Amino acid sequence: MKIVVAIKQVPERDAQVRVAADGKWIDESDLSYTINEPDAYALEEALQLKEKSGAGEVVVVCAGPERVQSTLREALAKGADRAIHIEADDLGSLDTLGVAQLLADAVKAESPDLILTGLQSDDLGLGQTGVVLAELLDIPHATIIMHVEATSAGLKVKRELEDGWFQYVEMPLPALLTIQSGGNKLRYATLMGIKKARTKELKTVAAPAQVRAAAVTLERVYLPEKQKKTEMLTGSPTEVAAKIVDKLKFEARVI
Amino acid sequence: MVAGTLVAAAGTYQIAGLLLDREHRGLNVSATLAEPAHFSSLESGLLVLCLVGSATLFFRRFGPILRNILRSKKDADFSLSPVGRRVWEFFSEVLCQSKVIRQRPLPGLAHAFVFWGFLAFALVSLNHLANGVGLGFLAPESIVGRFYFLFAAAWALLVAVSIAGLFIRRFFVRPIWLGEKLSYESGWIAFLIFLLMVSYLGAFFVSDAGMAVKALWWTHTLALVVFLPLIPHTKHLHLVISPVTVFLKRDGFSKIPPLAGDEDFGLVAGKDVTQLISLQAYSCVECGRCTEHCPAANTGKVLNPKEIVLGVRSYLNEFGPSSETPLLAESRGAAPTDAHQRLLSMEAAFECTTCGSCEYQCPVGIQHVPIIVGLRRGATNTGAWEDDYGTKLFLALEKHGNALGLGAMERDKFIQKQAFPIFDGTQEYCLWLGCMGGYDPKGREIIADFARVMQYLGTTFGVLKKEKCTGDPARRLGNDLVFQTLAESGLKAFETAKVQKIVAICPHCVRTIANDWREFGVAPEIEHHSEFMARHKDRLPKQGGESIVYHDPCYLGRYQDVYEEPRAVVALAGSLVEAPRSHERSFCCGAGGGLAFLGEEQGERVSHVRAKELAGTGAEVVGTACPFCNTMFRDALTAVSEAPPQLLDIAQLTARAIPASQKEAGGVQ
Ligand code: SF4
Ligand code: SF4
């Protein structure tokens, strides 16, 4: 089975994120980047599928500026066979459709049996890229996948629903799955993996000169503003309770 | 050795006196050694035949061993310097038998007598054999001969008594460390040595002519001829190679050699075994001193350091030094097929706390820790080691740069809360927090208290804005990728901040920064807080009489030879009590080698054994000098004792006496 894993590079979890001077994006200087966590699980799932079947190929693809190559190398070190870097210096200016389009162009040429990606990104958290990519490629998709099993007819996957419920879905190939974090145990990078990764292919492809104008644009990036509006209610418990009900009804309008 | 020679000289004098006395009484005893007057050419021919046969057998067995050692991979980092230290250690450990005696006085002394006796006998034996072909060079009647043979006779007595004693120990007392199986070869060899001595001594009681002297001469010769070929395939091989092993051992305690080239991932297979490791594996005398002191072997784990060494040896015998067959068996199967698989298992390799007791004890210079860490490297660097806890630790180090897997923000908050200044080049010291000091609640208390001590002394310090783990647990668990990444980032952080001097509360951090990082660059000078406080002890408050038992951390004591400084600090805070096992014999807390992060242990917990021992001293306080020991004992002391002693780091012991006005406001969080 040929599996493509679409991954994204995001700022480290505990990075001190600052808003850029123009207020349109974050200040990227001084940030360290890492693989988007759900994408790490998508990669792990792909590697395990390949290991279980004993054959196949895992290709990782990532769009972004040159720095994303470090994340691609890490994926190669963990066991991916090839990597494709889609050069795109300004991902921030694209909307989901734009990014999915970039990925679709690169992935189409590979004609994979299966495409995996994380269910959402740690930075923007839109959770749409995978789904839109499936639409662009005109293949079926399933989201929030915990477990994948290859069957003779295609795949059997376990989806996470709410409240501890799961759903099992059978689907044909080719298909796209968006993977939930925590379904597998991640592997650690090894020295041998890093050394092998040096000899693996990392292909760079240029993004098309002009992608469609973004349908969604980013207005302003800002840190959540602190609004401290604590009001102390005084009186006997009955009075306080009455005041709370009042406020919930007429000010907060939640009951 | 000097003592031995004196004993021998005194003995010579006495024996001479005894013999002369007997002569007086008309017994047929003389102070001169009897030698057969004449050898027929048949006899000489027979002797030569025996010697050639013996030597051939010896080399037939020794040859493959030598070949295995020489054909092993070269040690890329080996260098003969410092020669002075090597010569000194050879003198002290081989010639004076210092380690053999110090660590096991009685059997050690017996062994030393046998060894020195052998040295004294070299000349005697040579002359003995030369006589057989008419080339004797030391006439018994000459002045030198008279003296030397008597001198050797005194040694012969000592050797005979010692070997008999050792025989009794091995076959009747049977200490468990010598192994369950009785080694009959050892008994046989002891008998041969005894025979050699008796047949030599006998020659003082017979005359030069007659059958008796010939019979003694041939008995002596045959014992020698049989002895020689027994050496290579028994533990007595150490007679030949262990002096070389001691001289050539890797410079530095528990030194983990750098990986050489792109194909080196540690000890994966025979092809990775280096010459030093081969040499060491063949040198083991199976004395079990390593096992006797091993915290793992003593608490029901699979690991036994002696078996690791013997496992490498049987691997080499079976597969040779260029084999691709993996060294480590996945786990100890019920019926392992190969001898080495029974001895070398993944499980065992990852049970080692890297406490270094084994390496410290070994009398023939075997360096266990580099071997065990080498095996771990082979497993981890190739991804063969799969362990949930291990993976979690490595991912935490990869992602967060600390072993506890917490966000760096947590450290920032702690620094703010404590109002620690950030190091900016104007302060004297960079205070290194480490993972424990930066993230662990108890470690934070220790750091905060040590900071108070520094403030009290008026020493300026600052902390790094960002700090990552030194890589110690990754290093000891064999993950070179994570270790190198962390070491390089740490070196860079010090360089950027222009740090000159570092002080740390964790011996693991100190050792790793000062020693292990060297592979990647030069770190600023670093010291442990015990050294810092001991240097300023005159200005620190003296406290009264509470009894405090001090626990030597492996990474401070054996690893860095720091024993007295923490004791000086403890002595300021109360009255120092020594644990039954202390100084270089201290027993591990169980945390080292990354094991603090690997989850539940097999068998008894190492920390409980040590906590029992410490509580058993009846001291009111257990004093520690390592945040890892401290965490290990926190639970262990309550588990093993009804009314557990207090548990305090030496920094806390000191800080508690600092007047309140000097203490910073604000608790630790
Ligand atoms: S390794 Fe050293 S201490 Fe251990 S049994 Fe062998 S010789 Fe003795
Ligand atoms: S280093 Fe310590 S735990 Fe490891 S084998 Fe040696 S004595 Fe045992």
Side-chain angles (χ1 to χ4, degrees):
Chain A
M1 198 185 329
K2 184 170 182 180
I3 308 172
V4 165
V5 186
I7 61 183
K8 182 177 187 182
Q9 194 188 47
V10 295
E12 288 272 11
R13 272 246 147 146
D14 48 36
Q16 296 263 23
V17 180
R18 284 178 312 263
V19 178
D22 65 356
K24 294 276 187 199
W25 194 234
I26 53 169
D27 182 358
E28 294 195 348
S29 59
D30 252 19
L31 276 185
S32 31
Y33 287 87
T34 181
I35 186 170
N36 176 41
E37 190 172 32
D39 294 347
Y41 284 93
L43 174 63
E44 180 62 38
E45 186 64 61
L47 294 173
Q48 289 195 12
L49 281 172
K50 181 188 153 185
E51 281 161 7
K52 250 177 253 157
S53 76
E57 192 184 20
V58 174
V59 183
V60 281
V61 38
C62 181
E66 204 179 328
R67 62 170 152 78
V68 306
Q69 290 196 2
S70 68
T71 296
L72 284 171
R73 285 262 175 242
E74 259 167 53
L76 292 175
K78 297 217 168 166
D81 301 290
R82 275 190 297 126
I84 301 170
H85 169 207
I86 307 164
E87 278 183 318
D89 282 345
D90 191 14
L91 270 194
S93 69
L94 298 178
D95 60 1
T96 313
L97 183 57
V99 175
Q101 189 70 59
L102 286 182
L103 293 171
D105 289 347
V107 169
K108 224 177 262 161
E110 295 287 337
S111 48
D113 302 298
L114 180 63
I115 302 172
L116 300 182
T117 180
L119 86 159
Q120 63 185 20
S121 58
D122 289 341
D123 54 356
L124 292 176
L126 297 173
Q128 299 173 17
T129 313
V131 182
V132 178
L133 176 58
E135 284 304 312
L136 289 174
L137 295 171
D138 202 19
I139 54 173
H141 74 261
T143 53
I144 328 180
I145 301 304
M146 301 291 294
H147 184 73
V148 186
E149 198 183 312
T151 62
S152 53
L155 295 176
K156 188 176 168 203
V157 300
K158 178 183 175 188
R159 290 191 68 208
E160 188 183 57
L161 302 179
E162 305 218 334
D163 208 15
W165 286 81
F166 296 101
Q167 180 186 34
Y168 290 88
V169 182
E170 293 192 27
M171 57 199 298
L173 287 172
L176 182 144
L177 306 172
T178 73
I179 305 289
Q180 167 70 301
S181 291
N184 279 313
K185 280 180 189 135
L186 297 180
R187 63 192 66 195
Y188 58 92
T190 66
L191 190 66
M192 191 188 234
I194 290 280
K195 296 216 158 141
K196 275 196 187 148
R198 284 197 205 138
T199 59
K200 290 180 180 170
E201 178 190 302
L202 194 162
K203 189 170 74 182
T204 305
V205 298
Q210 185 49 53
V211 203
R212 241 180 358 82
V216 182
T217 52
L218 203 89
E219 280 288 313
R220 175 180 160 227
V221 175
Y222 62 97
L223 291 174
E225 279 153 14
K226 265 192 201 155
Q227 295 175 314
K228 201 168 178 187
K229 285 189 190 159
T230 314
E231 194 180 325
M232 294 305 292
L233 305 177
T234 50
S236 71
T238 337
E239 285 164 14
V240 172
K243 281 186 198 164
I244 291 177
V245 170
D246 210 48
K247 294 217 173 259
L248 290 176
K249 260 191 190 156
F250 302 109
E251 280 182 34
R253 277 195 273 253
V254 291
I255 50 175
Chain B
M1 189 171 64
V2 181
T5 314
L6 283 179
V7 173
T12 316
Y13 182 74
Q14 290 226 325
I15 292 180
L18 201 74
L19 293 176
L20 291 170
D21 183 47
R22 291 273 171 92
E23 215 167 7
H24 268 306
R25 289 193 242 145
L27 273 165
N28 185 19
V29 182
S30 77
T32 36
L33 184 78
E35 276 180 348
H38 175 75
F39 287 90
S40 67
S41 44
L42 186 70
E43 280 175 314
S44 296
L46 203 61
L47 171 67
V48 172
L49 213 65
C50 280
L51 288 181
V52 170
S54 172
T56 312
L57 272 178
F58 173 84
F59 279 107
R60 181 169 300 163
R61 279 168 171 166
F62 186 57
I65 293 171
L66 198 63
R67 218 170 304 134
N68 272 351
I69 297 173
L70 292 176
R71 286 195 189 157
S72 295
K73 198 173 97 171
K74 296 248 173 320
D75 288 87
D77 64 322
F78 182 76
S79 125
L80 256 190
S81 71
V83 178
R85 207 202 37 112
R86 287 183 189 280
V87 172
W88 164 250
E89 277 183 8
F90 185 83
F91 174 74
S92 141
E93 285 175 26
V94 178
L95 296 183
C96 296
Q97 299 269 292
S98 61
K99 213 168 213 178
V100 181
I101 300 172
R102 189 168 356 109
Q103 301 298 338
R104 274 185 189 170
L106 257 187
L109 211 59
H111 178 275
F113 282 139
V114 175
F115 170 69
W116 293 326
F118 272 37
L119 291 186
F121 247 72
L123 201 62
V124 174
S125 299
L126 219 62
N127 182 61
H128 177 94
L129 296 175
N131 260 336
V133 287
L135 294 173
F137 50 84
L138 198 60
E141 312 78 35
S142 66
I143 303 223
V144 179
R146 242 172 218 274
F147 170 77
Y148 197 82
F149 286 123
L150 279 178
F151 175 70
W155 277 113
L157 261 182
L158 280 171
V159 171
V161 170
S162 300
I163 201 79
L166 289 174
F167 180 85
I168 291 169
R169 172 168 180 266
R170 178 171 291 268
F171 287 90
F172 297 103
V173 182
R174 298 183 65 178
I176 53 169
W177 312 117
L178 294 180
E180 283 156 31
K181 236 179 51 219
L182 277 181
S183 154
Y184 290 101
E185 279 153 352
S186 301
W188 180 225
I189 293 223
F191 169 71
L192 285 177
I193 295 174
F194 194 73
L195 196 62
L196 277 172
M197 298 305 130
V198 172
S199 57
Y200 173 73
L201 287 173
F204 283 97
F205 295 84
V206 295
S207 70
D208 280 4
M211 284 305 285
V213 68
K214 266 281 165 63
L216 282 174
W217 191 91
W218 273 107
T219 311
H220 195 85
T221 308
L222 286 178
L224 269 179
V225 164
V226 175
F227 186 65
L228 191 65
L230 283 179
I231 291 177
H233 70 296
T234 63
K235 63 197 182 55
H236 298 87
L237 180 60
H238 83 278
L239 294 182
V240 185
I241 61 173
S242 76
V244 185
T245 317
V246 170
F247 186 76
L248 291 180
K249 69 181 175 192
R250 204 173 275 113
D251 182 35
F253 186 73
S254 281
K255 181 173 176 244
I256 301 167
L259 295 175
D262 275 351
E263 291 300 313
D264 190 359
F265 300 109
L267 300 178
V268 178
K271 63 175 177 35
D272 304 305
V273 175
T274 67
Q275 292 182 327
L276 277 182
I277 296 176
S278 291
L279 179 67
Q280 295 183 358
Y282 280 112
S283 304
C284 176
V285 286
E286 299 170 43
C287 67
R289 290 173 188 231
C290 50
T291 310
E292 184 183 345
H293 294 268
C294 172
N298 276 287
T299 54
K301 317 277 191 280
V302 178
L303 171 64
N304 175 343
K306 166 167 139 183
E307 289 188 352
I308 296 282
V309 176
L310 295 180
V312 175
R313 183 197 286 184
S314 52
Y315 178 97
L316 288 172
N317 284 338
E318 199 170 341
F319 300 100
S322 46
S323 168
E324 299 272 352
T325 310
L327 278 156
L328 281 185
E330 269 301 317
S331 83
R332 258 183 215 228
T337 42
D338 304 319
H340 91 273
Q341 286 206 338
R342 192 171 48 76
L343 302 170
L344 295 177
S345 70
M346 184 91 86
E347 201 182 349
F350 283 91
E351 282 174 344
C352 171
T353 68
T354 66
C355 75
S357 293
C358 47
E359 187 165 328
Y360 194 94
Q361 284 288 332
C362 183
V364 295
I366 294 171
Q367 297 171 304
H368 304 69
V369 180
I371 299 179
I372 295 174
V373 171
L375 290 167
R376 289 174 168 193
R377 287 172 126 176
T380 305
N381 285 334
T382 58
W385 185 51
E386 287 175 29
D387 178 275
D388 288 352
Y389 287 103
T391 307
K392 201 170 146 212
L393 171 70
F394 295 151
L395 290 173
L397 289 169
E398 273 176 37
K399 258 199 179 150
H400 304 286
N402 70 73
L404 279 68
L406 297 168
M409 293 281 271
E410 297 300 315
R411 181 179 176 274
D412 299 342
K413 279 192 225 154
F414 170 64
I415 294 175
Q416 266 167 27
K417 175 113 192 191
Q418 290 294 318
F420 285 155
I422 299 295
F423 187 86
D424 58 11
T426 59
Q427 303 99 336
E428 185 180 357
Y429 279 95
C430 169
L431 174 62
W432 176 261
L433 303 190
C435 297
M436 294 303 270
Y439 298 94
D440 176 73
K442 185 68 201 257
R444 288 175 170 183
E445 286 176 24
I446 301 173
I447 270 286
D449 273 346
F450 179 59
R452 258 166 231 147
V453 175
M454 291 184 94
Q455 276 156 358
Y456 173 74
L457 290 169
T459 309
T460 55
F461 67 89
V463 299
L464 287 185
K465 192 151 185 287
K466 294 266 171 244
E467 189 190 279
K468 286 186 175 174
C469 175
T470 61
D472 166 70
R475 170 72 153 176
R476 318 287 158 206
L477 286 169
N479 189 328
D480 283 279
L481 179 63
V482 168
F483 170 65
Q484 177 167 356
T485 314
L486 291 172
E488 282 171 351
S489 114
L491 282 164
K492 206 162 136 217
F494 283 135
E495 199 188 307
T496 320
K498 299 203 171 53
V499 173
Q500 304 283 338
K501 282 200 287 188
I502 315 164
V503 59
I505 59 160
C506 176
H508 294 260
C509 294
V510 178
R511 150 81 191 200
T512 307
I513 291 177
N515 224 293
D516 297 88
W517 281 14
R518 253 181 238 163
E519 216 176 288
F520 307 106
V522 189
E525 182 190 317
I526 180 165
E527 68 177 342
H528 186 243
H529 69 325
S530 65
E531 298 170 276
F532 175 87
M533 289 191 287
R535 212 174 38 248
H536 294 96
K537 66 169 186 271
D538 296 340
R539 290 170 52 212
L540 288 169
K542 176 102 185 92
Q543 305 165 55
E546 207 174 21
S547 57
I548 306 167
V549 56
Y550 172 66
H551 163 78
D552 285 281
C554 307
Y555 273 68
L556 191 63
R558 280 186 294 270
Y559 271 73
Q560 298 176 62
D561 267 329
V562 177
Y563 298 108
E564 295 319 315
E565 289 85 344
R567 285 183 167 73
V569 179
V570 168
L572 276 182
S575 63
L576 171 69
V577 176
E578 289 293 356
R581 288 180 279 189
S582 73
H583 293 83
E584 73 283 344
R585 288 189 158 219
S586 178
F587 193 74
C588 184
C589 71
L595 261 57
F597 305 101
L598 293 196
E600 201 41 72
E601 303 168 31
Q602 283 277 324
E604 201 178 2
R605 286 194 203 161
V606 176
S607 60
H608 285 197
V609 174
R610 182 58 169 171
K612 245 180 249 164
E613 192 173 323
L614 294 172
T617 60
E620 291 153 273
V621 182
V622 171
T624 59
C626 168
F628 282 103
C629 299
N630 200 301
T631 344
M632 296 309 276
F633 293 148
R634 192 169 23 178
D635 298 337
L637 281 171
T638 25
V640 301
S641 162
E642 289 283 305
Q646 241 192 316
L647 174 66
L648 292 170
D649 186 87
I650 50 170
Q652 298 178 291
L653 283 170
T654 310
R656 65 181 183 173
I658 293 175
S661 62
Q662 305 271 1
K663 291 191 189 176
E664 286 287 295
V668 179
Q669 201 202 330

